[in-house]
Amino acid sequence: MSTYYIRADGTAANKEAATSDSAPETSMNVTVHNAETFAAGDTIIVSDAGGVYRGTRLTVPSGGSVGNPITYPGSGSPVLKGSLDLTDGTYDWLASASGTNEYYCALGAEKNLWTNADVETSVDDWNAQASCAISWGTDQFWEGSHSLKVTPNDQWWAVRSDAKTIVQASTAYTVSFYVRPTDTLANDYVYVYDQDNNEIAAVSAGHPTGGAWTRVHLHFTTGVGDTGVKIHFEAQTNTVTWLDGFQVEAGSSETTWVNYGELVPSNPSLVDPGVGLVFLDDVSLTGGTLGALADHEWGYGDNDSLGFDTIYVRDNSGDPDTSGAVIEASQHACFYVYDKDYIVVDGLEFRHGWGGDYQGGFTAYLSTGSVVQNCEAHWNNANGIAFASGCTSCTIDSCTASYNGSHNIQFSGAAEDNRATGHTVSRCTSHHSRVLTWNEGNEFDGYGIKLQWCDNSVVRNNYSYSNDLQGIDLDVGTDGNDIYENKFYDNNWDGILLEIGAASNTVHHNLIYDNVRDDDAYAAEIMIWNDSQNNEIYSNVIYKTRTSNTSDFLILIGDSGATASSGTLIYGNVLDGGGFANNAIRVDGGATIATAQGLKIKNNILLNTDQVPIWIQSSSFTGFECDYNCYDVSGGNIIQRGSGTYPSYTLATHFATFGQDEHSLDTDPLLEDPANGKFWLQKISPCLGAGVDLGDDYRAGLHKASSWPDGVRTVNQSRLWDLGAYVSAQGELARHSRWLHMLSRHHGWR
């Protein structure tokens, strides 16, 4: 068990020399770290002494074991950024000829590996292989470079680069470049050879439309002894072809770019942006229209006839080279774990991460027993912190994630054969998901917390608020999870969504309020949707103090017909509509008739709804039970129910017609002070002892001293159960006092 050190500016050649973070020469940089091998129990201290980490994704090369994890603690406040600093002096910003205060970034010639910008006629890096003449021309794709010009002497020709020693043996890479033919003949091919001219890989490149620059990719893996690569291009054409922008990227994805050895690429998103992110002074810029950018907007294109696309920024403070502004563009993910177990990451911050799939801030695949704790993840293009396919028994604890392009926190499996299991999200804060603006209009979903194909996991003691969609989403066959003691509020749809077959989950002892969708689509504090069965909702405080939606509910169950709400239990909740929710509980399949089959509603307090407290569209009421609830409707209707037509029923007529609500109350429940969030019962409340024994699984109610999310206290119901989410601290005394009062009146005692 050894300890090693990383600094952003580290120069130590290997881990053995990385003995301290006191100086660059005694610390590894990220590239050296990624190539090392570590032992179970090792500690790799990530120091902030060398400044911000950027330019290379930190990839964990080794795994730990049970009881001996490999640990990555932060020293100081280390920040890992997935972005380039485009104002660090490496790049030039020039004023655009069109658009007031618009500047474009001169990206530089270093992005092209095989070129010689100094001598146009030099072909030192390239060799003609068959029937052609080659030279450097001026039809460049990259600013500052000179494109390789191939002039055929026959219909077939080929060119090959000299070897570049930029690769490691037995490693996956992708080569890419741009080609611009001047005809439309087919049969172009790209080859990769090693330093000894042995073919490693080949691909048909097709043939792009004449006159257009088109990007070509080829994935390959180097052999055991390979140290260099040569790129070979051949084509069937009898007209001039231009080649430019050659790069080699580590990995097998066009969106994963790193600096390695001689390779110093700029952000590929600036060339082929996809969903590129641009930041000014650490705030994401909004995409705009070139030539008409507003202050602090950005765009992508070629408004100055450069011959290639580049980034444009409107900055009213002046030229970014001299204004003091810091402009950054996302390049790579921040921290990556693949097929490594028992990794502990503690006290790091991830920003501006960029990558495919779930990659952004922190991402792990195929990992067991790993932990991310005391970390922050902000402004990443995909997820903030994500454990993706193949992960089991992992933990995200005491982290803060915000302003990420998709979900702030996620656990996700992959269908039936690779489900996520046994995870924990605890004591985390998630807010403002999916707020980034990117150039091409692409959008991800944006939940505060998301579980997908995830079973038997725990979500507890978290804040999730002001997210673009739900506070938490349990999606696609997410089963057997326990969601408790969280605070979900002010999200731009539901507080909690259980959807697409999410089954047998428990949602209890949460505080859920003011989750409001801004349009009139159905929305709720808790939504159970699309074949999500046998879920249990109990001992929650759920309320509204506002709405901007005409279809707003506290608990909404629906969609997909005969199994939509099967087996749902709604026990012992406070459901206060505040005069804004249409219904406290609604079962509604829309055009598809839903069902209340197996639905049980007991021991709840339902009040202050705009319409009837309960509205049920159902083709079947088999197993439906509704009783021991308190409705404060002053003799009005408590429920509408039916299929196609929905007659209303008072408490008395509901019992007389269907035998339901026999023991329910229609009265003021006398809550302590609901306008100020005090939803427990007064000592004289008629709801004290008015409930039914629901069994030991539901016996723990809330104590009135509870605070969310980390100060929730519970107290068990006694022989006589209170209605609502709280168990009165004076419950037994209040019950006995009421009993003695009744006895005294009966016997004339004083």
Side-chain angles (χ1 to χ4, degrees):
M1 299 182 185
S2 302
T3 299
Y4 306 100
Y5 293 83
I6 302 177
R7 285 173 47 136
D9 61 352
T11 59
N14 50 50
K15 67 181 182 182
E16 287 76 16
T19 58
S20 167
D21 65 349
S22 60
E25 56 268 25
T26 60
S27 296
M28 297 176 284
N29 59 34
V30 171
T31 299
V32 172
H33 160 272
N34 292 353
E36 286 285 0
T37 300
F38 300 96
D42 282 353
T43 298
I44 298 95
I45 294 177
V46 183
S47 174
D48 68 351
V52 173
Y53 293 80
R54 64 170 88 241
T56 303
R57 180 186 70 186
L58 195 155
T59 301
V60 173
S62 307
S65 61
V66 177
N68 291 293
I70 292 180
T71 305
Y72 289 82
S75 175
S77 301
V79 177
L80 283 68
K81 285 190 174 183
S83 56
L84 289 172
D85 184 352
L86 299 180
T87 47
D88 65 355
T90 302
Y91 306 94
D92 292 326
W93 287 87
L94 302 173
S96 174
S98 61
T100 304
N101 291 336
E102 292 187 19
Y103 300 87
Y104 65 89
C105 181
L107 298 176
E110 71 274 17
K111 298 200 306 188
N112 196 341
L113 287 176
W114 284 277
T115 188
N116 188 328
D118 298 325
V119 183
E120 289 189 18
T121 58
S122 170
V123 290
D124 291 343
D125 292 328
W126 288 85
N127 303 284
Q129 299 293 302
S131 192
C132 65
I134 57 176
S135 61
W136 294 113
T138 57
D139 193 11
Q140 70 262 25
F141 184 85
W142 304 95
E143 180 175 352
S145 74
H146 296 274
S147 303
L148 184 68
K149 180 180 181 181
V150 182
T151 304
N153 297 323
D154 199 346
Q155 193 163 346
W156 279 98
W157 60 265
V159 294
R160 183 181 300 176
S161 71
D162 294 340
K164 290 288 185 177
T165 56
I166 60 171
V167 296
Q168 291 182 326
S170 304
T171 303
Y173 292 93
T174 299
V175 63
S176 65
F177 61 93
Y178 285 81
V179 58
R180 189 181 76 80
T182 52
D183 64 16
T184 56
L185 295 175
N187 299 322
D188 292 357
Y189 293 90
V190 184
Y191 299 86
V192 176
Y193 293 91
D194 65 14
Q195 66 281 351
D196 299 318
N197 293 321
N198 299 308
E199 182 183 319
I200 299 175
V203 67
S204 172
H207 208 300
T209 302
W213 283 106
T214 301
R215 195 176 188 181
V216 176
H217 297 284
L218 171 60
H219 305 305
F220 66 94
T221 300
T222 52
V224 174
D226 291 341
T227 58
V229 290
K230 300 180 178 182
I231 307 302
H232 178 101
F233 186 90
E234 64 181 47
Q236 178 187 10
T237 180
N238 55 13
T239 59
V240 170
T241 295
W242 301 88
L243 304 172
D244 206 339
F246 285 88
Q247 301 187 89
V248 173
E249 41 182 310
S252 57
S253 168
E254 287 83 14
T255 58
T256 305
W257 295 74
V258 299
N259 297 336
Y260 187 80
E262 200 174 342
L263 175 62
V264 189
S266 293
N267 179 16
S269 70
L270 303 181
V271 179
D272 185 9
V275 289
L277 304 175
V278 179
F279 302 87
L280 191 150
D281 294 335
D282 221 27
V283 176
S284 175
L285 299 187
T286 301
T289 302
L290 294 186
L293 295 177
D295 190 30
H296 289 186
E297 285 188 341
W298 77 288
Y300 185 84
D302 183 14
N303 238 30
D304 289 87
S305 301
L306 305 173
F308 59 94
D309 287 345
T310 189
I311 181 176
Y312 285 74
V313 170
R314 167 77 175 264
D315 185 0
N316 287 346
S317 61
D319 185 339
D321 285 331
T322 58
S323 70
V326 176
I327 298 176
E328 299 168 276
S330 292
Q331 178 194 33
H332 56 79
C334 299
F335 199 109
Y336 188 65
V337 178
Y338 184 83
D339 201 17
K340 303 295 185 292
D341 299 332
Y342 302 102
I343 305 297
V344 176
V345 181
D346 189 354
L348 309 184
E349 182 176 339
F350 314 112
R351 282 181 177 262
H352 302 177
W354 165 276
D357 298 325
Y358 302 102
Q359 294 185 45
F362 172 94
T363 307
Y365 293 86
L366 299 172
S367 183
T368 295
S370 293
V371 177
V372 179
Q373 60 191 23
N374 304 310
C375 291
E376 297 187 25
H378 310 292
W379 300 104
N380 299 285
N381 98 293
N383 297 313
I385 302 172
F387 284 90
S389 300
C391 294
T392 58
S393 302
C394 296
T395 298
I396 303 173
D397 180 67
S398 300
C399 295
T400 299
S402 68
Y403 296 97
N404 296 291
S406 185
H407 319 308
N408 284 328
I409 294 172
Q410 179 170 20
F411 285 117
S412 180
E416 296 293 343
D417 59 343
N418 196 8
R419 297 172 76 92
T421 60
H423 297 308
T424 298
V425 183
S426 57
R427 299 182 296 183
C428 292
T429 298
S430 169
H431 62 93
H432 294 92
S433 64
R434 204 178 75 162
V435 299
L436 294 176
T437 301
W438 41 89
N439 196 45
E440 294 193 337
N442 297 300
E443 292 189 356
F444 302 130
D445 290 337
Y447 304 99
I449 302 170
K450 185 179 180 71
L451 277 60
Q452 184 175 34
W453 291 113
C454 183
D455 299 338
N456 305 315
S457 297
V458 171
V459 179
R460 63 177 179 85
N461 305 115
N462 302 286
Y463 281 108
S464 186
Y465 65 92
S466 299
N467 294 290
D468 185 69
L469 294 175
Q470 282 78 11
I472 182 171
D473 177 31
L474 280 67
D475 187 15
V476 189
T478 293
D479 302 336
N481 300 285
D482 199 10
I483 316 300
Y484 66 96
E485 297 180 9
N486 303 282
K487 186 175 181 178
F488 301 109
Y489 67 99
D490 194 37
N491 295 288
N492 189 34
W493 207 333
D494 315 307
I496 301 176
L497 172 63
L498 294 85
E499 63 171 333
I500 313 178
S504 302
N505 300 287
T506 55
V507 178
H508 58 99
H509 300 101
N510 299 286
L511 179 62
I512 311 164
Y513 65 94
D514 285 349
N515 298 283
V516 176
R517 186 172 170 87
D518 290 334
D519 58 26
D520 286 335
Y522 274 18
E525 300 300 319
I526 299 177
M527 182 181 288
I528 304 171
W529 206 250
N530 200 345
D531 295 335
S532 296
Q533 304 174 44
N534 302 316
N535 295 290
E536 300 180 359
I537 314 297
Y538 62 92
S539 299
N540 300 285
V541 176
I542 305 173
Y543 68 92
K544 285 190 180 297
T545 65
R546 62 182 181 86
T547 190
S548 56
N549 190 332
T550 60
S551 303
D552 213 345
F553 315 100
L554 298 182
I555 299 177
L556 174 62
I557 306 167
D559 204 13
S560 296
T563 59
S565 63
S566 292
T568 302
L569 306 183
I570 302 174
Y571 286 168
N573 302 282
V574 172
L575 303 171
D576 184 351
F580 299 101
N582 298 151
N583 315 113
I585 299 170
R586 186 178 182 99
V587 179
D588 189 349
T592 302
I593 299 298
T595 178
Q597 186 171 318
L599 174 63
K600 294 178 173 55
I601 304 171
K602 294 183 178 181
N603 286 17
N604 301 283
I605 296 174
L606 307 89
L607 69 162
N608 296 325
T609 54
D610 182 52
Q611 301 171 20
V612 292
I614 302 175
W615 191 99
I616 297 178
Q617 173 203 62
S618 184
S619 57
S620 171
F621 284 86
T622 301
F624 172 67
E625 298 178 15
C626 186
D627 203 358
Y628 295 95
N629 301 296
C630 180
Y631 311 93
D632 184 10
V633 294
S634 301
N637 295 315
I638 64 165
I639 189 170
Q640 285 182 259
R641 52 179 287 179
S643 175
T645 59
Y646 307 97
S648 300
Y649 301 90
T650 65
L651 185 65
T653 58
H654 195 221
F655 172 63
T657 306
F658 301 107
Q660 302 287 350
D661 281 306
E662 178 181 4
H663 305 93
S664 294
L665 308 174
D666 177 5
T667 186
D668 185 341
L670 295 179
L671 302 179
E672 181 70 22
D673 186 6
N676 290 297
K678 299 178 181 180
F679 291 95
W680 52 88
L681 305 176
Q682 298 179 30
K683 294 179 181 179
I684 57 172
S685 170
C687 296
L688 289 167
V692 64
D693 190 329
L694 299 170
D696 288 344
D697 288 345
Y698 316 101
R699 190 171 298 278
L702 293 169
H703 190 284
K704 71 176 183 179
S706 292
S707 61
W708 283 266
D710 52 3
V712 176
R713 295 171 55 186
T714 61
V715 58
N716 284 338
Q717 300 274 8
S718 59
R719 185 175 62 86
L720 298 175
W721 285 46
D722 294 338
L723 301 186
Y726 288 87
V727 175
S728 173
Q730 303 293 325
E732 281 302 299
L733 177 60
R735 296 182 192 100
H736 287 302
S737 296
R738 188 171 58 187
W739 178 73
L740 288 172
H741 178 66
M742 288 187 295
L743 279 179
S744 68
R745 292 185 61 188
H746 179 73
H747 293 286
W749 299 342
R750 296 188 181 276

